[in-house]
Amino acid sequence: MIDLGLAKPRAETRVVVAMSGGVDSSVTAALLKEAGYDTVGVTLQLYDHGAAVQRRGACCAGADIRDARTAAAAIGIPHYVLDFEARFRDAVMASFADAYVNGETPVPCVTCNETVKFTDLIAVARDLGADAMATGHYVKRVEGPDGPELHRAADASRDQSYFLFSMTKAQLDFVRFPLGDKPKSETRDLAARFGLGVADKPDSQDICFVPDGRYGDIVRRLRADAAAPGEIVDLEGRVLGRHEGIVNYTIGQRRGLDLKTAGQALYVVRLEPGTRRVVVGPREALTQRMFEVRRINWLCDAPPPGEAMTVLARVRSTRPPVEAAVVADGAGGAQVTIQGGEAGIAPGQACVFYAPDGSGRVLGGGWIARPDAA
């Protein structure tokens, strides 16, 4: 049975559960209710447009809100739906569009977590008198000698620590993750045991507000000038073709270039928003050893400026952590050097630091900067 490690009797301990309408958050709420906690479900309506409303496997849209409400009723807990559309549009969707216009590849799930879910929703939970908030994320919260630590999930295939690196220490003190020690198969079995209709519901998509995967349409809708055409050039600056907006390209992309180049495979190596150029090159040109990271959030003691700190660094959610050296600059940024290099490091993506001892502890992380913006 779940124990959140709080001092008050469970029946007097209020826990607000962030219920997205999926199986993970629904099971989280059911487990807390079963354990005897005063459990309250809260769902944030973040968007409600077009096909996203009806598409199952989305997150925080119309059908998902109905699923969350139904799950809360089956569990027997109060449930509230709060309209956060304006906040989500301004904090997440607008920054998503701006990032693509600036030649970056954003991670909107991290932005959503650090603004709407772990700032605004925590404030709501406190207003409801909560002693803690719980989510269905697959990460572990471990009590360390200096307070709670964030660790990778027991099931590496489900681990979501990459998306939560920006949590503050105060937020980590308040939030719990009951599923961090479980595989997804057990979560679905629990959903069936609790009689929840979402037991077989598909997992949510990474970019929940892009129902058809065409993120360029969202960017152009929010930023009308995003489709400005430009040139596709090679590493020497020779013009190879034209494009209809750099928002249609990401670092490492090969498909969709439509270039006639004597059979040579070319990849997007760099995006230049100032000149509106897409720079392409061979695969080996994607490998990079050194880059700058900005807006670092440390979940451990920050290293002294100028001193190298050995970490395991993860530059994309789908990549394994690799050995790297981090040298902080004392102004919220750092230089990261990856041993052996890494292909397709994209500005705008997160770089997350893990402990080098293999414990899975998240030490912190920041945002990969463009070379001309570091």
Side-chain angles (χ1 to χ4, degrees):
M1 185 171 288
I2 291 176
D3 184 356
L4 299 184
L6 298 168
K8 294 167 61 176
R10 293 187 182 188
E12 300 174 14
T13 302
R14 174 162 291 183
V15 183
V16 165
V17 180
M19 298 184 69
S20 65
V23 61
D24 300 323
S25 59
S26 298
V27 168
T28 296
L31 287 171
L32 290 169
K33 172 68 173 178
E34 181 182 60
Y37 289 100
D38 176 13
T39 308
V40 177
V42 173
T43 299
L44 302 182
Q45 179 176 314
L46 301 182
Y47 63 93
D48 198 14
H49 59 81
V53 177
Q54 301 300 329
R55 182 176 60 103
R56 293 186 66 84
C59 171
C60 307
D64 308 290
I65 292 170
R66 291 193 293 273
D67 287 344
R69 183 181 292 115
T70 301
I75 297 165
I77 61 173
H79 179 253
Y80 302 96
V81 178
L82 304 179
D83 184 354
F84 270 54
E85 282 194 51
R87 170 65 168 151
F88 184 75
R89 182 177 61 250
D90 294 342
V92 180
M93 296 177 67
S95 66
F96 173 85
D98 288 340
Y100 272 110
V101 170
N102 291 328
E104 299 178 345
T105 305
V107 194
C109 289
V110 176
T111 305
C112 182
N113 285 333
E114 70 180 354
T115 56
V116 177
K117 291 183 179 175
F118 289 109
T119 298
D120 301 333
L121 186 51
I122 283 180
V124 170
R126 293 190 185 279
D127 287 342
L128 291 172
D131 298 286
M133 187 176 88
T135 79
H137 287 100
Y138 287 87
V139 293
K140 292 194 293 184
R141 179 187 179 278
V142 177
E143 287 293 341
D146 299 316
E149 302 171 352
L150 186 67
H151 285 242
R152 298 185 70 182
D155 183 351
S157 68
R158 304 301 308 179
D159 174 57
Q160 293 173 298
S161 60
Y162 178 87
F163 300 103
L164 298 179
F165 79 89
S166 62
M167 288 188 72
T168 67
K169 294 179 182 179
Q171 291 169 347
L172 190 57
D173 188 58
F174 188 69
V175 181
R176 302 295 191 272
F177 307 103
L179 302 185
D181 287 316
K182 302 182 185 302
K184 185 63 176 252
S185 58
E186 182 180 347
T187 300
R188 293 197 181 279
D189 289 344
L190 285 167
R193 175 168 75 81
F194 287 123
L196 301 178
V198 293
D200 296 320
K201 184 175 180 177
D203 291 338
S204 61
Q205 303 298 312
D206 283 346
I207 304 180
C208 60
F209 55 90
V210 186
D212 55 6
R214 299 172 60 181
Y215 65 87
D217 292 347
I218 298 292
V219 176
R220 283 184 287 271
R221 181 165 61 83
L222 295 174
R223 298 291 180 266
D225 58 347
E231 298 173 336
I232 301 176
V233 303
D234 63 15
L235 294 172
E236 285 71 44
R238 292 187 291 264
V239 178
L240 303 179
R242 301 278 299 175
H243 67 79
E244 297 301 321
I246 63 172
V247 299
N248 298 307
Y249 301 89
T250 58
I251 303 299
Q253 179 177 334
R254 179 183 176 186
R255 298 181 61 182
L257 291 175
D258 194 26
L259 301 174
K260 297 180 174 60
T261 55
Q264 182 184 23
L266 295 176
Y267 300 80
V268 176
V269 174
R270 188 170 66 252
L271 298 172
E272 298 180 351
T275 60
R276 301 200 300 272
R277 295 198 306 179
V278 174
V279 182
V280 300
R283 185 177 180 82
E284 54 267 25
L286 289 171
T287 301
Q288 188 176 348
R289 290 188 64 250
M290 188 179 299
F291 55 94
E292 300 291 328
V293 174
R294 59 193 174 190
R295 291 173 48 208
I296 294 179
N297 176 62
W298 291 105
L299 288 172
C300 66
D301 291 335
E307 292 188 16
M309 178 184 188
T310 300
V311 303
L312 296 176
R314 197 175 182 185
V315 297
R316 284 184 186 267
S317 63
T318 55
R319 302 273 182 89
V322 295
E323 184 176 342
V326 178
V327 180
D329 60 15
Q335 183 181 81
V336 178
T337 303
I338 291 183
Q339 307 302 321
E342 185 91 354
I345 296 174
Q349 291 280 294
C351 178
V352 180
F353 312 139
Y354 296 86
D357 60 6
S359 65
R361 182 186 177 186
V362 179
L363 303 179
W367 300 95
I368 300 169
R370 293 198 321 270
D372 60 341

